[in-house]
Amino acid sequence: MGKLYKDEDAVLSWNGHGTKGSQAIVKYISELPPCDHELKSMDIHRLPEEAAQNQIAYLISTSGTVVYKNMKKTGFNQNFIISAEGARWKIISDVFRLQQTPVNMT
């Protein structure tokens, strides 16, 4: 999985907790509880080249539902920014957020 991320430049924000670098990202993700995701939507937009250090880059936005062990199903959003590195695409930013209903809105 580490080969998907851009070495030490990649950034992960997972439900408010962040880390940087492909090795640290793989370690963080591998320590998450087992889960099942169901992808409901995906959208892709090309970013202006100056947004990614004059590289071709895309923003990929996804949403769906996820079930973690011993938890009920909840919605999620995940956004990736990918950039070309030679002939391969690498993730430079990965932002995941659970969509929980605020307590005062139930």
Side-chain angles (χ1 to χ4, degrees):
M1 177 188 288
K3 293 181 180 184
L4 296 173
Y5 290 89
K6 186 174 168 121
D7 301 323
E8 297 309 311
D9 293 331
V11 176
L12 171 72
S13 176
W14 195 272
N15 213 37
H17 303 279
T19 192
K20 185 175 180 182
S22 61
Q23 290 180 353
I25 291 170
V26 170
K27 181 180 183 308
Y28 187 88
I29 292 173
S30 70
E31 293 172 352
L32 293 171
C35 61
D36 288 311
H37 288 80
E38 183 177 351
L39 186 62
K40 301 280 187 175
S41 68
M42 181 172 63
D43 196 17
I44 302 170
H45 296 276
R46 185 170 176 171
L47 296 174
E49 289 183 11
E50 55 273 4
Q53 299 176 348
N54 295 320
Q55 302 256 347
I56 296 172
Y58 290 90
L59 170 65
I60 303 170
S61 299
T62 64
S63 66
T65 57
V66 61
V67 178
Y68 290 97
K69 186 177 178 180
N70 300 323
M71 292 179 68
K72 66 180 184 175
K73 183 187 291 189
T74 189
F76 76 89
N77 288 324
Q78 190 165 11
N79 298 295
F80 305 89
I81 296 177
I82 62 171
S83 179
E85 185 175 272
R88 302 187 189 277
W89 291 94
K90 299 283 188 165
I91 299 169
I92 57 176
S93 176
D94 182 353
V95 179
F96 178 93
R97 183 60 104 175
L98 292 174
Q99 300 301 303
Q100 300 169 332
T101 304
V103 175
N104 62 352
M105 295 185 72
T106 57

